[in-house]
Amino acid sequence: MLKKVITVASLCVLSACATVPITGRRQLSLVPESEVISLAQQQYKQVLDTSKVINSGAQAAMVKRVGQRIQQAVETYFRQQNQSEQLAGYQWEFNLIQDDRQQNAWCMPGGKVVVYTGILPITQDENGLAVVMGHEIAHAVARHGSERMSQQEAQQVGGSLVSAALTGRSPAAQQLAAQAFGLSTSLGILRYGRNQESEADHLGLIFMAMAGYNPQGAITFWQRMDARENQAAPPEFLSTHPSNGTRIADIQRELPEAQKYYKAR
């Protein structure tokens, strides 16, 4: 019964699909991208208002330079594919925030990018920064944020269908089914997270190469990241991110494709 309900829930959302650029993967799309971009713009402003934004200096200039070059590469790619409408509503921004504890960067839907100073010792140079920013921008243009929101909505629908299907069953049966559904959906979301990360790595290689940065630098960046992460990582199937070893192996396999787009500036 539970398997049948999950199948029905899956069929209900099959018509609400989009396609990821470059990889061609079909993805769930229940939430309008315009709505996601509007929310992202509000959140981005809140982050900037409550953070120490670095507006001058060599590092801030580098962040803007790398971002703008990757932006141009993204826009060129979509224009060549006659899909510029996919970037409707984008208002690109690239900001460096002072926070040495954050070894991180991100890009919100709509092209709102933040890089934290804590990631710069790992990126080391402009090419290393392009690895990170290409990856984060890829998340946005692949609409991973909208996809995650859509998955959450689908999970809620699936939970309601399971509850309805088990009406009249014993409390023990209902609890067992709810636990099984929760476990399966939780593991599924983790797997989707890993898939999105790998996909962003793939797209990021292409975009950084189109922007004139050597995609080979992605391997050495992740090797440096791996060397810095000294805590024990959870098993890969319980994580939203692939292991660094998996990432490096995937990037090595995808490098020949990315190198075709690379022309040094």
Side-chain angles (χ1 to χ4, degrees):
M1 172 63 74
L2 180 59
K3 184 176 181 181
K4 290 182 179 178
V5 170
I6 295 175
T7 300
V8 171
S10 300
L11 290 174
C12 288
V13 298
L14 280 178
S15 59
C17 290
T19 302
V20 178
I22 297 178
T23 67
R25 179 177 66 85
R26 299 285 285 171
Q27 63 182 167
L28 186 62
S29 180
L30 299 174
V31 183
E33 183 70 1
S34 58
E35 179 180 327
V36 179
I37 289 177
S38 177
L39 290 171
Q41 290 173 343
Q42 298 172 33
Q43 293 173 353
Y44 191 73
K45 183 178 184 303
Q46 291 174 359
V47 170
L48 297 186
D49 288 345
T50 57
S51 303
K52 183 179 179 181
V53 180
I54 302 175
N55 292 311
S56 61
Q59 291 181 333
M62 179 173 64
V63 167
K64 293 186 185 301
R65 182 169 60 251
V66 173
Q68 289 167 356
R69 284 174 59 172
I70 295 177
Q71 170 192 345
Q72 292 170 3
V74 168
E75 291 174 343
T76 297
Y77 173 82
F78 278 93
R79 185 170 60 252
Q80 290 173 344
Q81 302 300 314
N82 295 317
Q83 295 177 344
S84 294
E85 72 281 357
Q86 297 277 351
L87 301 177
Y90 269 62
Q91 298 176 9
W92 297 90
E93 287 188 51
F94 311 99
N95 283 292
L96 177 65
I97 289 180
Q98 179 68 55
D99 190 339
D100 293 339
R101 297 169 300 176
Q102 289 261 29
Q103 298 177 349
N104 199 12
W106 43 262
C107 177
M108 287 185 172
K112 304 295 189 182
V113 179
V114 156
V115 175
Y116 294 98
T117 54
I119 194 72
L120 297 182
I122 308 176
T123 59
Q124 292 189 351
D125 55 23
E126 188 165 326
N127 200 88
L129 182 60
V131 175
V132 173
M133 294 184 72
H135 170 91
E136 299 302 335
I137 289 171
H139 273 306
V141 300
R143 300 187 174 185
H144 286 165
S146 175
E147 184 176 21
R148 285 192 294 272
M149 293 174 67
S150 298
Q151 289 165 353
Q152 291 170 358
E153 288 197 5
Q155 183 179 2
Q156 292 174 356
V157 171
S160 298
L161 288 172
V162 169
S163 297
L166 294 172
T167 299
R169 298 290 187 91
S170 69
Q174 292 184 27
Q175 183 179 11
L176 181 61
Q179 290 174 345
F181 179 77
L183 177 61
S184 64
T185 53
S186 295
L187 292 176
I189 288 173
L190 291 174
R191 178 173 57 82
Y192 274 120
R194 293 192 299 274
N195 289 344
Q196 287 181 338
E197 288 296 318
S198 297
E199 191 167 61
D201 284 342
H202 184 181
L203 271 64
L205 287 177
I206 302 297
F207 293 142
M208 71 176 290
M210 290 182 67
Y213 295 107
N214 189 349
Q216 182 73 35
I219 293 177
T220 52
F221 167 79
W222 282 108
Q223 288 172 338
R224 292 194 297 270
M225 181 67 82
D226 188 50
R228 281 179 172 256
E229 293 178 349
N230 50 20
Q231 71 253 26
E236 189 171 70
F237 77 96
L238 292 178
S239 175
T240 57
H241 288 59
S243 69
N244 292 331
T246 296
R247 273 192 140 127
I248 291 169
D250 288 344
I251 289 170
Q252 287 174 328
R253 187 180 65 253
E254 293 160 355
L255 265 178
E257 176 189 4
Q259 290 286 357
K260 295 176 183 178
Y261 294 89
Y262 173 53
K263 292 182 179 180
R265 293 190 181 182

